[in-house]
Amino acid sequence: MALEMARGRAVRTATRSFRKNQDDAALRDVRAPIAKLRVPGPKAELRFPVSQSLRAFYRRFWPGTGPAEWNDWRWQMRARIRTLEELARVFRLSEDEYAAVAKHQGPLPVGITPYYAGLMGLTDASEPLRRTHIMTGGEYLKAPGEDDDPLSEDHDTVVPGLVHRYPDRVLFLTTGTCSTYCRYCTRSRLVGNPGGEYQFSTRQWGEAIAYLEAHTEVRDVLLSGGDPLTLSDDKLDWLLSRLRAIPHIEFLRIGTKMPVVTPQRVTRGLIRVLKKHHPLWMSLHFTHPTELTREVAESTARLADAGIPLGSQTVLLKGVNDDPVVMKSLMHGLLKNRVKPYYLYQCDPIRGSAHFRTGVDKGLEIIRALRGHTTGYATPLFVIDAPGGGGKIQLAPDPVVGREGDDLLLRNFEGKIYRYPDPNGTLGR
């Protein structure tokens, strides 16, 4: 699996500069040697591995920080990069980035954990992970068909924070907080909001639980947000216990990006909580092979060893992962970390996301490049979450060529035509 990449040369503290370092890409390709692990004290959590490049990164930008703080997910949350000044201290911002961040107001603020910032290009504004988390001017342009709530989740909200769209399952929005804020977020209207219409509280949890107790057709609950793993262990345990006590709730799922962007969150304490509530599934949000670090290998191993099935959900993003080679590398890396590639999402038409969206044909091209050329376990379902509340719709390359007599003609992954006897069939007529 990929190790973290060595970073570009240093940026001056609090200096605004727009000059591009042409050595940045070359330096990031240098593989950092594996750092030796320190033996934790008797009362300390089992430490995550820390590469030399990330160790040098936090010593430079967070001087005085040691492994104990770096490996503490609460420290990662407190130390998140949240302001223009903090961004300019760590990154060499382009003019576009600087102006876009300075202009921002309202929800979906800047939010990047120090760990995740250490995986990004410090001087290259086109680096994939950086593009997904630092604002650009494209975010302020509204393209046709875009909307603040393109999936009409508000329309299907039955009590505050509970979306009941499908007959037997619900989306339970537990919090408006994430450890990092993706610029293409479907819920950009509500996450990170300092106030206003969308609030999340245990009182709302109680209303949602009462609704679920009364609706026996619901058997599957997906906890999302925001990110449920930003909750403390005791709050998460309380909520899972209340849901598990409802007799007709068969499955609990957690949608989270924390094991990817803040892998230190997967502590022994969290594992103890999660193991109490089986069957419990987890959907992880992966974007790019750069995220497949030793730390992420540790977080996913802890979850998998705890008996939690892991699936990935990846959003197809222009200039970030819209390349069959990049996508295949990501999918193979996920399998090696015991994560099943589940969904490849067409980017939702959220307001200001046109610069991230590819054509739908690009997603089909990637699926064609995976099918037959790698194991089916590494091939996700390509879906569009239909605007207007239509739900997920699967798309796949059409293998049906037509018919000849009683034979159905099918095209395989090599483009060759094969016959299947289907005398009573109607497909392909």
Side-chain angles (χ1 to χ4, degrees), residues 145-178:
E146 293 182 347
D147 192 73
D148 290 335
D149 180 22
L151 307 185
S152 296
E153 289 182 339
D154 291 348
H155 176 268
D156 291 323
T157 296
V158 288
V159 298
L162 193 70
V163 181
H164 191 175
R165 171 170 298 152
Y166 298 101
D168 68 337
R169 53 201 184 276
V170 297
L171 173 68
F172 194 133
L173 303 180
T174 60
T175 177
T177 300
C178 292

PDB file of all heavy atoms in Angstrom, residues 145-178:
ATOM      1  N   GLY A 145     -29.413  23.427 -13.189  1.00  0.00           N
ATOM      2  CA  GLY A 145     -29.743  22.157 -12.550  1.00  0.00           C
ATOM      3  C   GLY A 145     -29.190  21.991 -11.158  1.00  0.00           C
ATOM      4  O   GLY A 145     -29.519  21.011 -10.476  1.00  0.00           O
ATOM      5  N   GLU A 146     -28.347  22.908 -10.711  1.00  0.00           N
ATOM      6  CA  GLU A 146     -27.786  22.808  -9.367  1.00  0.00           C
ATOM      7  C   GLU A 146     -28.766  23.345  -8.332  1.00  0.00           C
ATOM      8  O   GLU A 146     -29.583  24.219  -8.625  1.00  0.00           O
ATOM      9  CB  GLU A 146     -26.457  23.557  -9.283  1.00  0.00           C
ATOM     10  CG  GLU A 146     -25.352  22.927 -10.110  1.00  0.00           C
ATOM     11  CD  GLU A 146     -24.029  23.644  -9.976  1.00  0.00           C
ATOM     12  OE1 GLU A 146     -23.997  24.786  -9.443  1.00  0.00           O
ATOM     13  OE2 GLU A 146     -23.014  23.078 -10.415  1.00  0.00           O
ATOM     14  N   ASP A 147     -28.623  22.833  -7.108  1.00  0.00           N
ATOM     15  CA  ASP A 147     -29.552  23.228  -6.053  1.00  0.00           C
ATOM     16  C   ASP A 147     -28.879  23.028  -4.709  1.00  0.00           C
ATOM     17  O   ASP A 147     -27.931  22.242  -4.585  1.00  0.00           O
ATOM     18  CB  ASP A 147     -30.826  22.373  -6.134  1.00  0.00           C
ATOM     19  CG  ASP A 147     -31.940  22.913  -5.261  1.00  0.00           C
ATOM     20  OD1 ASP A 147     -32.533  23.935  -5.619  1.00  0.00           O
ATOM     21  OD2 ASP A 147     -32.201  22.298  -4.206  1.00  0.00           O
ATOM     22  N   ASP A 148     -29.350  23.733  -3.689  1.00  0.00           N
ATOM     23  CA  ASP A 148     -28.811  23.555  -2.341  1.00  0.00           C
ATOM     24  C   ASP A 148     -29.158  22.188  -1.771  1.00  0.00           C
ATOM     25  O   ASP A 148     -28.417  21.646  -0.947  1.00  0.00           O
ATOM     26  CB  ASP A 148     -29.342  24.648  -1.410  1.00  0.00           C
ATOM     27  CG  ASP A 148     -28.770  26.014  -1.736  1.00  0.00           C
ATOM     28  OD1 ASP A 148     -27.659  26.073  -2.309  1.00  0.00           O
ATOM     29  OD2 ASP A 148     -29.424  27.030  -1.433  1.00  0.00           O
ATOM     30  N   ASP A 149     -30.295  21.634  -2.179  1.00  0.00           N
ATOM     31  CA  ASP A 149     -30.735  20.315  -1.706  1.00  0.00           C
ATOM     32  C   ASP A 149     -31.166  19.494  -2.919  1.00  0.00           C
ATOM     33  O   ASP A 149     -32.340  19.190  -3.109  1.00  0.00           O
ATOM     34  CB  ASP A 149     -31.898  20.479  -0.714  1.00  0.00           C
ATOM     35  CG  ASP A 149     -32.412  19.150  -0.174  1.00  0.00           C
ATOM     36  OD1 ASP A 149     -31.660  18.155  -0.201  1.00  0.00           O
ATOM     37  OD2 ASP A 149     -33.579  19.098   0.269  1.00  0.00           O
ATOM     38  N   PRO A 150     -30.212  19.103  -3.768  1.00  0.00           N
ATOM     39  CA  PRO A 150     -30.577  18.470  -5.044  1.00  0.00           C
ATOM     40  C   PRO A 150     -31.290  17.138  -4.884  1.00  0.00           C
ATOM     41  O   PRO A 150     -32.048  16.736  -5.764  1.00  0.00           O
ATOM     42  CB  PRO A 150     -29.227  18.295  -5.749  1.00  0.00           C
ATOM     43  CG  PRO A 150     -28.227  18.242  -4.648  1.00  0.00           C
ATOM     44  CD  PRO A 150     -28.750  19.179  -3.600  1.00  0.00           C
ATOM     45  N   LEU A 151     -31.065  16.434  -3.772  1.00  0.00           N
ATOM     46  CA  LEU A 151     -31.678  15.125  -3.577  1.00  0.00           C
ATOM     47  C   LEU A 151     -33.014  15.210  -2.854  1.00  0.00           C
ATOM     48  O   LEU A 151     -33.611  14.173  -2.537  1.00  0.00           O
ATOM     49  CB  LEU A 151     -30.724  14.208  -2.802  1.00  0.00           C
ATOM     50  CG  LEU A 151     -29.311  14.071  -3.375  1.00  0.00           C
ATOM     51  CD1 LEU A 151     -28.519  13.051  -2.581  1.00  0.00           C
ATOM     52  CD2 LEU A 151     -29.347  13.706  -4.855  1.00  0.00           C
ATOM     53  N   SER A 152     -33.465  16.434  -2.570  1.00  0.00           N
ATOM     54  CA  SER A 152     -34.749  16.653  -1.891  1.00  0.00           C
ATOM     55  C   SER A 152     -34.837  15.900  -0.570  1.00  0.00           C
ATOM     56  O   SER A 152     -35.870  15.341  -0.224  1.00  0.00           O
ATOM     57  CB  SER A 152     -35.921  16.259  -2.811  1.00  0.00           C
ATOM     58  OG  SER A 152     -35.971  17.092  -3.944  1.00  0.00           O
ATOM     59  N   GLU A 153     -33.749  15.917   0.183  1.00  0.00           N
ATOM     60  CA  GLU A 153     -33.766  15.283   1.494  1.00  0.00           C
ATOM     61  C   GLU A 153     -34.717  16.010   2.444  1.00  0.00           C
ATOM     62  O   GLU A 153     -35.391  15.374   3.266  1.00  0.00           O
ATOM     63  CB  GLU A 153     -32.355  15.237   2.082  1.00  0.00           C
ATOM     64  CG  GLU A 153     -31.443  14.256   1.381  1.00  0.00           C
ATOM     65  CD  GLU A 153     -30.069  14.172   2.003  1.00  0.00           C
ATOM     66  OE1 GLU A 153     -29.672  15.134   2.714  1.00  0.00           O
ATOM     67  OE2 GLU A 153     -29.383  13.160   1.784  1.00  0.00           O
ATOM     68  N   ASP A 154     -34.764  17.338   2.325  1.00  0.00           N
ATOM     69  CA  ASP A 154     -35.671  18.091   3.201  1.00  0.00           C
ATOM     70  C   ASP A 154     -37.120  17.669   2.974  1.00  0.00           C
ATOM     71  O   ASP A 154     -37.912  17.601   3.917  1.00  0.00           O
ATOM     72  CB  ASP A 154     -35.512  19.595   2.957  1.00  0.00           C
ATOM     73  CG  ASP A 154     -34.164  20.124   3.448  1.00  0.00           C
ATOM     74  OD1 ASP A 154     -33.463  19.385   4.168  1.00  0.00           O
ATOM     75  OD2 ASP A 154     -33.815  21.274   3.111  1.00  0.00           O
ATOM     76  N   HIS A 155     -37.462  17.374   1.726  1.00  0.00           N
ATOM     77  CA  HIS A 155     -38.834  16.971   1.408  1.00  0.00           C
ATOM     78  C   HIS A 155     -39.195  15.651   2.074  1.00  0.00           C
ATOM     79  O   HIS A 155     -40.351  15.434   2.482  1.00  0.00           O
ATOM     80  CB  HIS A 155     -38.999  16.854  -0.110  1.00  0.00           C
ATOM     81  CG  HIS A 155     -40.348  16.355  -0.541  1.00  0.00           C
ATOM     82  ND1 HIS A 155     -40.612  15.011  -0.750  1.00  0.00           N
ATOM     83  CD2 HIS A 155     -41.516  17.016  -0.790  1.00  0.00           C
ATOM     84  CE1 HIS A 155     -41.879  14.864  -1.104  1.00  0.00           C
ATOM     85  NE2 HIS A 155     -42.449  16.061  -1.144  1.00  0.00           N
ATOM     86  N   ASP A 156     -38.216  14.749   2.192  1.00  0.00           N
ATOM     87  CA  ASP A 156     -38.463  13.430   2.765  1.00  0.00           C
ATOM     88  C   ASP A 156     -38.119  13.360   4.250  1.00  0.00           C
ATOM     89  O   ASP A 156     -38.040  12.260   4.823  1.00  0.00           O
ATOM     90  CB  ASP A 156     -37.672  12.369   1.999  1.00  0.00           C
ATOM     91  CG  ASP A 156     -38.212  12.155   0.591  1.00  0.00           C
ATOM     92  OD1 ASP A 156     -39.434  12.217   0.423  1.00  0.00           O
ATOM     93  OD2 ASP A 156     -37.406  11.935  -0.328  1.00  0.00           O
ATOM     94  N   THR A 157     -37.892  14.505   4.878  1.00  0.00           N
ATOM     95  CA  THR A 157     -37.593  14.538   6.304  1.00  0.00           C
ATOM     96  C   THR A 157     -38.900  14.434   7.090  1.00  0.00           C
ATOM     97  O   THR A 157     -39.780  15.287   6.972  1.00  0.00           O
ATOM     98  CB  THR A 157     -36.845  15.827   6.679  1.00  0.00           C
ATOM     99  OG1 THR A 157     -35.569  15.837   6.008  1.00  0.00           O
ATOM    100  CG2 THR A 157     -36.620  15.932   8.172  1.00  0.00           C
ATOM    101  N   VAL A 158     -39.010  13.389   7.896  1.00  0.00           N
ATOM    102  CA  VAL A 158     -40.264  13.121   8.617  1.00  0.00           C
ATOM    103  C   VAL A 158     -40.268  13.733  10.009  1.00  0.00           C
ATOM    104  O   VAL A 158     -41.318  14.128  10.527  1.00  0.00           O
ATOM    105  CB  VAL A 158     -40.528  11.607   8.688  1.00  0.00           C
ATOM    106  CG1 VAL A 158     -40.926  11.078   7.314  1.00  0.00           C
ATOM    107  CG2 VAL A 158     -39.299  10.840   9.209  1.00  0.00           C
ATOM    108  N   VAL A 159     -39.137  13.760  10.658  1.00  0.00           N
ATOM    109  CA  VAL A 159     -38.908  14.541  11.875  1.00  0.00           C
ATOM    110  C   VAL A 159     -37.524  15.141  11.707  1.00  0.00           C
ATOM    111  O   VAL A 159     -36.735  14.657  10.886  1.00  0.00           O
ATOM    112  CB  VAL A 159     -38.999  13.685  13.162  1.00  0.00           C
ATOM    113  CG1 VAL A 159     -40.390  13.075  13.326  1.00  0.00           C
ATOM    114  CG2 VAL A 159     -37.932  12.595  13.190  1.00  0.00           C
ATOM    115  N   PRO A 160     -37.183  16.196  12.436  1.00  0.00           N
ATOM    116  CA  PRO A 160     -35.877  16.820  12.222  1.00  0.00           C
ATOM    117  C   PRO A 160     -34.728  15.814  12.272  1.00  0.00           C
ATOM    118  O   PRO A 160     -34.575  15.059  13.231  1.00  0.00           O
ATOM    119  CB  PRO A 160     -35.790  17.830  13.376  1.00  0.00           C
ATOM    120  CG  PRO A 160     -37.213  18.192  13.659  1.00  0.00           C
ATOM    121  CD  PRO A 160     -37.982  16.926  13.441  1.00  0.00           C
ATOM    122  N   GLY A 161     -33.939  15.787  11.191  1.00  0.00           N
ATOM    123  CA  GLY A 161     -32.771  14.924  11.136  1.00  0.00           C
ATOM    124  C   GLY A 161     -33.019  13.507  10.690  1.00  0.00           C
ATOM    125  O   GLY A 161     -32.077  12.708  10.629  1.00  0.00           O
ATOM    126  N   LEU A 162     -34.264  13.146  10.347  1.00  0.00           N
ATOM    127  CA  LEU A 162     -34.562  11.782   9.931  1.00  0.00           C
ATOM    128  C   LEU A 162     -35.214  11.804   8.547  1.00  0.00           C
ATOM    129  O   LEU A 162     -36.305  12.345   8.370  1.00  0.00           O
ATOM    130  CB  LEU A 162     -35.489  11.092  10.926  1.00  0.00           C
ATOM    131  CG  LEU A 162     -35.617   9.568  10.760  1.00  0.00           C
ATOM    132  CD1 LEU A 162     -34.315   8.876  11.161  1.00  0.00           C
ATOM    133  CD2 LEU A 162     -36.776   9.038  11.593  1.00  0.00           C
ATOM    134  N   VAL A 163     -34.527  11.210   7.556  1.00  0.00           N
ATOM    135  CA  VAL A 163     -34.998  11.187   6.180  1.00  0.00           C
ATOM    136  C   VAL A 163     -35.520   9.783   5.871  1.00  0.00           C
ATOM    137  O   VAL A 163     -34.769   8.802   5.936  1.00  0.00           O
ATOM    138  CB  VAL A 163     -33.867  11.554   5.192  1.00  0.00           C
ATOM    139  CG1 VAL A 163     -34.387  11.555   3.752  1.00  0.00           C
ATOM    140  CG2 VAL A 163     -33.273  12.924   5.539  1.00  0.00           C
ATOM    141  N   HIS A 164     -36.815   9.680   5.535  1.00  0.00           N
ATOM    142  CA  HIS A 164     -37.427   8.391   5.240  1.00  0.00           C
ATOM    143  C   HIS A 164     -37.880   8.396   3.780  1.00  0.00           C
ATOM    144  O   HIS A 164     -38.972   8.839   3.452  1.00  0.00           O
ATOM    145  CB  HIS A 164     -38.632   8.143   6.164  1.00  0.00           C
ATOM    146  CG  HIS A 164     -39.143   6.740   6.103  1.00  0.00           C
ATOM    147  ND1 HIS A 164     -40.157   6.273   6.920  1.00  0.00           N
ATOM    148  CD2 HIS A 164     -38.778   5.675   5.336  1.00  0.00           C
ATOM    149  CE1 HIS A 164     -40.396   5.006   6.648  1.00  0.00           C
ATOM    150  NE2 HIS A 164     -39.578   4.623   5.689  1.00  0.00           N
ATOM    151  N   ARG A 165     -37.007   7.901   2.911  1.00  0.00           N
ATOM    152  CA  ARG A 165     -37.279   7.882   1.468  1.00  0.00           C
ATOM    153  C   ARG A 165     -37.607   6.476   0.984  1.00  0.00           C
ATOM    154  O   ARG A 165     -38.572   6.262   0.270  1.00  0.00           O
ATOM    155  CB  ARG A 165     -36.073   8.429   0.701  1.00  0.00           C
ATOM    156  CG  ARG A 165     -36.155   8.247  -0.810  1.00  0.00           C
ATOM    157  CD  ARG A 165     -35.064   9.026  -1.514  1.00  0.00           C
ATOM    158  NE  ARG A 165     -35.215  10.448  -1.252  1.00  0.00           N
ATOM    159  CZ  ARG A 165     -34.214  11.318  -1.249  1.00  0.00           C
ATOM    160  NH1 ARG A 165     -32.973  10.910  -1.460  1.00  0.00           N
ATOM    161  NH2 ARG A 165     -34.443  12.589  -1.021  1.00  0.00           N
ATOM    162  N   TYR A 166     -36.775   5.525   1.332  1.00  0.00           N
ATOM    163  CA  TYR A 166     -36.995   4.145   0.920  1.00  0.00           C
ATOM    164  C   TYR A 166     -37.950   3.462   1.900  1.00  0.00           C
ATOM    165  O   TYR A 166     -38.005   3.823   3.078  1.00  0.00           O
ATOM    166  CB  TYR A 166     -35.665   3.396   0.863  1.00  0.00           C
ATOM    167  CG  TYR A 166     -34.684   3.966  -0.129  1.00  0.00           C
ATOM    168  CD1 TYR A 166     -33.644   4.787   0.303  1.00  0.00           C
ATOM    169  CD2 TYR A 166     -34.799   3.697  -1.484  1.00  0.00           C
ATOM    170  CE1 TYR A 166     -32.727   5.314  -0.597  1.00  0.00           C
ATOM    171  CE2 TYR A 166     -33.885   4.214  -2.390  1.00  0.00           C
ATOM    172  CZ  TYR A 166     -32.850   5.027  -1.941  1.00  0.00           C
ATOM    173  OH  TYR A 166     -31.959   5.550  -2.842  1.00  0.00           O
ATOM    174  N   PRO A 167     -38.687   2.443   1.456  1.00  0.00           N
ATOM    175  CA  PRO A 167     -39.718   1.860   2.313  1.00  0.00           C
ATOM    176  C   PRO A 167     -39.208   1.316   3.638  1.00  0.00           C
ATOM    177  O   PRO A 167     -39.831   1.525   4.681  1.00  0.00           O
ATOM    178  CB  PRO A 167     -40.290   0.727   1.444  1.00  0.00           C
ATOM    179  CG  PRO A 167     -40.016   1.139   0.038  1.00  0.00           C
ATOM    180  CD  PRO A 167     -38.706   1.865   0.092  1.00  0.00           C
ATOM    181  N   ASP A 168     -38.055   0.624   3.618  1.00  0.00           N
ATOM    182  CA  ASP A 168     -37.637  -0.106   4.817  1.00  0.00           C
ATOM    183  C   ASP A 168     -36.401   0.455   5.499  1.00  0.00           C
ATOM    184  O   ASP A 168     -35.839  -0.170   6.393  1.00  0.00           O
ATOM    185  CB  ASP A 168     -37.375  -1.572   4.464  1.00  0.00           C
ATOM    186  CG  ASP A 168     -36.155  -1.748   3.568  1.00  0.00           C
ATOM    187  OD1 ASP A 168     -35.781  -0.768   2.883  1.00  0.00           O
ATOM    188  OD2 ASP A 168     -35.580  -2.853   3.556  1.00  0.00           O
ATOM    189  N   ARG A 169     -35.923   1.637   5.082  1.00  0.00           N
ATOM    190  CA  ARG A 169     -34.711   2.170   5.679  1.00  0.00           C
ATOM    191  C   ARG A 169     -34.758   3.690   5.745  1.00  0.00           C
ATOM    192  O   ARG A 169     -35.458   4.338   4.966  1.00  0.00           O
ATOM    193  CB  ARG A 169     -33.463   1.704   4.936  1.00  0.00           C
ATOM    194  CG  ARG A 169     -33.467   1.943   3.448  1.00  0.00           C
ATOM    195  CD  ARG A 169     -32.468   1.001   2.788  1.00  0.00           C
ATOM    196  NE  ARG A 169     -32.318   1.206   1.367  1.00  0.00           N
ATOM    197  CZ  ARG A 169     -33.143   0.667   0.460  1.00  0.00           C
ATOM    198  NH1 ARG A 169     -34.171  -0.064   0.837  1.00  0.00           N
ATOM    199  NH2 ARG A 169     -32.930   0.876  -0.826  1.00  0.00           N
ATOM    200  N   VAL A 170     -33.990   4.224   6.699  1.00  0.00           N
ATOM    201  CA  VAL A 170     -33.986   5.665   6.927  1.00  0.00           C
ATOM    202  C   VAL A 170     -32.548   6.166   7.014  1.00  0.00           C
ATOM    203  O   VAL A 170     -31.612   5.415   7.307  1.00  0.00           O
ATOM    204  CB  VAL A 170     -34.739   6.045   8.216  1.00  0.00           C
ATOM    205  CG1 VAL A 170     -36.210   5.663   8.134  1.00  0.00           C
ATOM    206  CG2 VAL A 170     -34.074   5.422   9.441  1.00  0.00           C
ATOM    207  N   LEU A 171     -32.407   7.458   6.781  1.00  0.00           N
ATOM    208  CA  LEU A 171     -31.152   8.180   6.959  1.00  0.00           C
ATOM    209  C   LEU A 171     -31.278   9.008   8.226  1.00  0.00           C
ATOM    210  O   LEU A 171     -32.162   9.861   8.334  1.00  0.00           O
ATOM    211  CB  LEU A 171     -30.893   9.075   5.744  1.00  0.00           C
ATOM    212  CG  LEU A 171     -29.706  10.026   5.815  1.00  0.00           C
ATOM    213  CD1 LEU A 171     -28.389   9.265   5.816  1.00  0.00           C
ATOM    214  CD2 LEU A 171     -29.750  11.012   4.643  1.00  0.00           C
ATOM    215  N   PHE A 172     -30.414   8.758   9.189  1.00  0.00           N
ATOM    216  CA  PHE A 172     -30.462   9.413  10.493  1.00  0.00           C
ATOM    217  C   PHE A 172     -29.284  10.393  10.556  1.00  0.00           C
ATOM    218  O   PHE A 172     -28.135   9.988  10.665  1.00  0.00           O
ATOM    219  CB  PHE A 172     -30.347   8.358  11.597  1.00  0.00           C
ATOM    220  CG  PHE A 172     -30.712   8.818  12.981  1.00  0.00           C
ATOM    221  CD1 PHE A 172     -31.539   8.050  13.781  1.00  0.00           C
ATOM    222  CD2 PHE A 172     -30.215  10.002  13.506  1.00  0.00           C
ATOM    223  CE1 PHE A 172     -31.880   8.442  15.065  1.00  0.00           C
ATOM    224  CE2 PHE A 172     -30.542  10.416  14.785  1.00  0.00           C
ATOM    225  CZ  PHE A 172     -31.378   9.635  15.573  1.00  0.00           C
ATOM    226  N   LEU A 173     -29.570  11.703  10.467  1.00  0.00           N
ATOM    227  CA  LEU A 173     -28.530  12.731  10.511  1.00  0.00           C
ATOM    228  C   LEU A 173     -28.243  13.047  11.973  1.00  0.00           C
ATOM    229  O   LEU A 173     -29.039  13.695  12.648  1.00  0.00           O
ATOM    230  CB  LEU A 173     -28.979  13.976   9.745  1.00  0.00           C
ATOM    231  CG  LEU A 173     -29.354  13.735   8.280  1.00  0.00           C
ATOM    232  CD1 LEU A 173     -29.780  15.034   7.608  1.00  0.00           C
ATOM    233  CD2 LEU A 173     -28.194  13.098   7.509  1.00  0.00           C
ATOM    234  N   THR A 174     -27.104  12.582  12.452  1.00  0.00           N
ATOM    235  CA  THR A 174     -26.800  12.650  13.874  1.00  0.00           C
ATOM    236  C   THR A 174     -26.141  13.952  14.299  1.00  0.00           C
ATOM    237  O   THR A 174     -26.247  14.360  15.456  1.00  0.00           O
ATOM    238  CB  THR A 174     -25.864  11.498  14.262  1.00  0.00           C
ATOM    239  OG1 THR A 174     -24.650  11.609  13.501  1.00  0.00           O
ATOM    240  CG2 THR A 174     -26.518  10.152  13.977  1.00  0.00           C
ATOM    241  N   THR A 175     -25.441  14.598  13.390  1.00  0.00           N
ATOM    242  CA  THR A 175     -24.657  15.777  13.727  1.00  0.00           C
ATOM    243  C   THR A 175     -24.394  16.576  12.463  1.00  0.00           C
ATOM    244  O   THR A 175     -24.468  16.038  11.354  1.00  0.00           O
ATOM    245  CB  THR A 175     -23.313  15.379  14.381  1.00  0.00           C
ATOM    246  OG1 THR A 175     -22.529  16.558  14.627  1.00  0.00           O
ATOM    247  CG2 THR A 175     -22.515  14.439  13.489  1.00  0.00           C
ATOM    248  N   GLY A 176     -24.076  17.845  12.630  1.00  0.00           N
ATOM    249  CA  GLY A 176     -23.696  18.681  11.500  1.00  0.00           C
ATOM    250  C   GLY A 176     -22.204  18.902  11.408  1.00  0.00           C
ATOM    251  O   GLY A 176     -21.748  19.752  10.639  1.00  0.00           O
ATOM    252  N   THR A 177     -21.428  18.142  12.176  1.00  0.00           N
ATOM    253  CA  THR A 177     -19.982  18.340  12.255  1.00  0.00           C
ATOM    254  C   THR A 177     -19.236  17.248  11.512  1.00  0.00           C
ATOM    255  O   THR A 177     -19.579  16.069  11.613  1.00  0.00           O
ATOM    256  CB  THR A 177     -19.523  18.343  13.730  1.00  0.00           C
ATOM    257  OG1 THR A 177     -20.180  19.394  14.420  1.00  0.00           O
ATOM    258  CG2 THR A 177     -18.021  18.537  13.843  1.00  0.00           C
ATOM    259  N   CYS A 178     -18.212  17.643  10.763  1.00  0.00           N
ATOM    260  CA  CYS A 178     -17.253  16.715  10.151  1.00  0.00           C
ATOM    261  C   CYS A 178     -15.855  17.116  10.611  1.00  0.00           C
ATOM    262  O   CYS A 178     -15.615  18.265  10.981  1.00  0.00           O
ATOM    263  CB  CYS A 178     -17.310  16.782   8.632  1.00  0.00           C
ATOM    264  SG  CYS A 178     -18.834  16.141   7.910  1.00  0.00           S
TER     265      CYS A 178
END
